[in-house]
């Protein structure tokens, strides 16, 4: 296959059927990571009652305890993934996070559960950056947003399964068994990754020759990490994309972790009712939004590349009034109805954002740039989003009682508009770059 053929379809060493299979296995691993990561959302109320914890403590375990190690370790692991087998790193990571998820079920105190959650974060640190890099080497740039959108389905499929399985198992067998049930399948997934996937050559989807990188040297490793931070800070398109995805995730993670508790406290849902509702709406709505956002970006972006970012900005602005209505209304039926378009529009951002970061990253630093982006996103979004909701909820509780969570989530939602501004600016930067290239 020629360089032109490779650029058109993907990796020259892989058949379309294999690429599809590899995507499905990576999607399965990503789904598993989100099941294990987000199951805390459906289990907050029974864990809080059993271990006598506050919203602030639950926010800590759902956010910072996980995010600090997940985000920080992702950088050195990604540096190794740019040199070693990405497949093997992913397989090992799946084993670790699955085992630590099952250990969460054995926790008897706040400290033990927090330590187990740290372990889940350590395991999941080695998943997304190597996966992003593999996908970038399997799919050419013009097909990459769609491919990344398929991979991003793991977020919503994972949340759906976490809510559904967690609710039913916890209601019948208790919250501890829920951790055991969702953690165990990871062992099989790790085996699938290790023994059925293979490594594409780096840069193959662009028809480039893979360069042999020098062996690991600490000083060079630090320099590479700093170079990745510098790339994201100085490349305007990447900078605004990272800022946008971070702010949107700050709101999204807060809503994902505390959404079940909001429905239970403010609308009187039972554990099973909230599991069924969120599994259906977040699962199907999120999948729909991620696919539509990703493939619409690929299609419109070929005509006007600025819309690769503007489509996300438009979705966030359109969703803003619907989000406010969702949190403020006391009409449960209307809230449930409006929750659907909120979820669909909210899922637009993942595929386009990940694709932009990978397309702008230097070929030999794709895993590392992805890890640095995820470090920023997760320290602020995953780490502080759920924690901020918990703190605000506890602070507002004396005045608003059970509805304190409703207003905490509403306050957080305004950060999505700030994120939309950055996506708009990213689109403007794309346009400016195109004009400069045309003038040469």
């Amino acid at each position: 296959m020629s360089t032109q053929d490779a650029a058109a379809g993907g990796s020259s060493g892989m058949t379309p059927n294999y690429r599809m299979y590899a995507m499905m296995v990576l999607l399965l691993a990503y789904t598993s990571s989100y099941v294990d990561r987000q199951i805390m959302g459906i289990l907050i109320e029974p864990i809080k009652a059993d271990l006598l914890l506050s919203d602030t403590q639950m926010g800590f375990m759902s956010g910072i305890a996980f995010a600090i190690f997940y985000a920080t370790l992702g950088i050195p692991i990604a540096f190794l993934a740019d040199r070693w087998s990405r497949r093997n790193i992913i397989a090992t990571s799946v084993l670790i996070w699955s085992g630590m998820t099952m250990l969460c079920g054995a926790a008897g105190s706040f400290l033990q559960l927090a330590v187990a959650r740290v372990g889940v974060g350590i395991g999941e640190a080695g998943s997304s950056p190597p996966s992003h890099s593999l996908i970038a080497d399997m799919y050419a740039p013009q097909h990459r947003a769609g491919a990344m959108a398929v991979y991003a389905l793991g977020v919503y499929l994972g949340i759906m399964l976490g809510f559904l399985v967690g609710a039913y198992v916890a209601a019948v067998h208790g919250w501890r068994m829920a951790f055991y049930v969702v953690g165990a399948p990871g062992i099989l997934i790790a085996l699938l990754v290790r023994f059925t996937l293979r490594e594409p050559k780096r840069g193959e989807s662009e028809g480039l020759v893979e360069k042999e990188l020098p062996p690991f040297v600490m000083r060079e490793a630090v320099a590479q990490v700093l170079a990745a931070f510098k790339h994201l800070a100085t490349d305007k398109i990447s900078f605004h994309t990272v800022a946008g995805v971070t702010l949107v995730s700050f709101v999204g993670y807060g809503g994902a972790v505390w959404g079940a508790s909001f429905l239970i406290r403010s609308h009187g849902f039972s554990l099973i009712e909230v599991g069924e509702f969120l599994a259906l709406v977040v699962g199907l709505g999120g999948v729909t939004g991620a696919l539509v956002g990703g493939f619409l970006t690929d299609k419109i972006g070929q005509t006007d590349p600025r819309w690769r970012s503007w489509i996300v900005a438009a979705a966030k602005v359109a969703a803003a009034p619907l989000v406010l209505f969702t949190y403020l209304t006391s009409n449960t039926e209307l809230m449930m109805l409006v929750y659907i378009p909120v979820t669909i529009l909210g899922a637009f951002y993942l595929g386009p954002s990940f694709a932009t970061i990978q397309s702008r990253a230097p070929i030999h630093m794709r895993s590392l740039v992805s890890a640095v982006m995820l470090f920023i996103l997760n320290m602020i979004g995953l780490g502080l989003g759920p924690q901020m909701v918990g703190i605000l909820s506890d602070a507002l509780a004396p005045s608003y009682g059970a509805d304190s969570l409703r207003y905490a989530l509403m306050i957080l939602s305004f950060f999505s508009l700030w994120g939309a501004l950055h996506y708009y600016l990213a689109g403007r930067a794309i346009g400016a770059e195109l004009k400069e290239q045309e003038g040469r």
Side-chain angles (χ1 to χ4, degrees):
M1 184 182 290
S2 67
T3 299
Q4 184 178 358
D5 294 334
S11 175
S12 61
M14 299 182 181
T15 66
N17 286 339
Y18 173 78
R19 283 201 300 273
M20 183 180 299
Y21 171 77
M23 276 296 304
M24 291 304 101
V25 173
L26 292 175
L27 172 60
L28 195 60
Y30 196 39
T31 300
S32 169
S33 75
Y34 258 84
V35 172
D36 293 1
R37 183 186 313 184
Q38 294 296 331
I39 194 172
M40 284 290 290
I42 195 67
L43 301 179
I44 281 179
E45 297 303 305
I47 292 174
K48 182 181 175 183
D50 187 18
L51 300 183
L52 303 177
L53 305 178
S54 68
D55 281 352
T56 300
Q57 288 175 307
M58 294 306 301
F60 175 82
M61 282 190 293
S62 302
I64 293 178
F66 177 95
I68 288 177
F69 291 89
Y70 171 66
T72 304
L73 290 178
I75 293 176
I77 291 173
F79 182 85
L80 297 178
D82 280 329
R83 286 159 170 74
W84 296 349
S85 170
R86 293 165 287 186
R87 175 201 64 192
N88 293 352
I89 290 174
I90 295 168
T92 302
S93 298
V94 177
L95 276 177
I96 293 173
W97 84 57
S98 299
M100 296 306 295
T101 296
M102 289 188 282
L103 281 179
C104 287
S109 67
F110 168 73
L111 180 59
Q112 291 174 1
L113 187 54
V115 170
R117 288 292 293 171
V118 165
V120 176
I122 290 172
E124 293 193 16
S127 174
S128 287
S131 296
H132 287 181
S133 179
L134 283 176
I135 293 168
D137 286 333
M138 291 192 296
Y139 290 89
Q142 64 267 34
H143 301 292
R144 201 166 285 156
M148 287 293 185
V150 171
Y151 178 73
L153 296 182
V155 174
Y156 303 101
L157 292 173
I159 293 174
M160 178 182 70
L161 290 173
F163 281 139
L164 196 60
V165 175
Y168 274 98
V169 175
V172 178
H173 300 288
W175 64 268
R176 298 180 186 279
M177 181 59 67
F179 281 116
Y180 301 143
V181 170
V182 301
I187 298 172
L188 176 59
I189 296 171
L191 293 175
L192 284 175
V193 173
R194 174 60 182 82
F195 294 107
T196 68
L197 298 190
R198 62 179 185 268
E199 285 275 324
K201 294 180 180 178
R202 300 172 200 270
E204 189 172 356
S205 63
E206 287 97 342
L208 303 175
V209 178
E210 182 176 24
K211 295 181 180 180
E212 183 176 348
L213 293 174
F216 176 83
V217 177
M218 180 59 71
R219 183 172 59 185
E220 293 181 1
V222 173
Q224 285 287 320
V225 172
L226 293 176
F229 272 102
K230 182 179 179 181
H231 165 75
L232 293 177
T234 57
D235 179 74
K236 289 184 178 180
I237 298 170
S238 297
F239 172 82
H240 287 298
T241 301
V242 171
V245 75
T246 298
L247 290 163
V248 168
S249 296
F250 179 71
V251 177
Y253 278 120
V257 168
W258 288 101
S261 293
F262 160 67
L263 295 175
I264 291 171
R265 297 183 196 181
S266 295
H267 290 276
F269 279 51
S270 69
L271 192 62
I272 289 182
E273 285 173 340
V274 77
E276 290 175 339
F277 173 70
L278 289 177
L280 179 65
V281 175
V282 176
L284 296 182
V287 167
T288 300
L291 286 176
V292 171
F295 289 105
L296 198 58
T297 299
D298 277 341
K299 185 173 182 61
I300 298 177
Q302 292 182 26
T303 303
D304 188 344
R306 294 175 298 178
W307 278 95
R308 291 172 182 164
S309 295
W310 284 353
I311 195 168
V312 180
K316 292 303 170 187
V317 171
L322 301 178
V323 173
L324 287 179
F325 180 86
T326 297
Y327 289 133
L328 290 177
T329 184
S330 57
N331 187 314
T332 300
E333 288 74 20
L334 280 177
M335 179 277 299
M336 294 171 67
L337 185 63
V338 174
Y339 213 101
I340 298 171
V342 165
T343 303
I344 293 173
L345 291 170
F348 267 45
Y349 75 103
L350 286 172
S353 300
F354 292 163
T356 296
I357 295 300
Q358 285 294 297
S359 296
R360 304 291 298 182
I363 297 296
H364 65 285
M365 292 172 58
R366 278 179 169 160
S367 290
L368 186 56
V369 168
S370 178
V372 170
M373 179 268 294
L374 289 171
F375 170 81
I376 298 168
L377 182 160
N378 287 305
M379 287 298 290
I380 297 174
L382 177 57
L384 298 182
Q387 181 71 79
M388 183 60 66
V389 173
I391 292 172
L392 286 172
S393 179
D394 280 340
L396 295 171
S399 300
Y400 297 99
D403 275 340
S404 65
L405 183 56
R406 177 200 300 268
Y407 295 112
L409 288 166
M410 184 196 71
I411 291 169
L412 208 72
S413 70
F414 286 97
F415 284 88
S416 279
L417 291 176
W418 186 4
L421 173 62
H422 281 288
Y423 279 108
Y424 169 74
L425 293 174
R428 287 191 60 181
I430 291 172
E433 184 175 86
L434 290 173
K435 284 185 179 180
E436 182 180 343
Q437 291 172 352
E438 291 172 357
R440 291 175 183 174

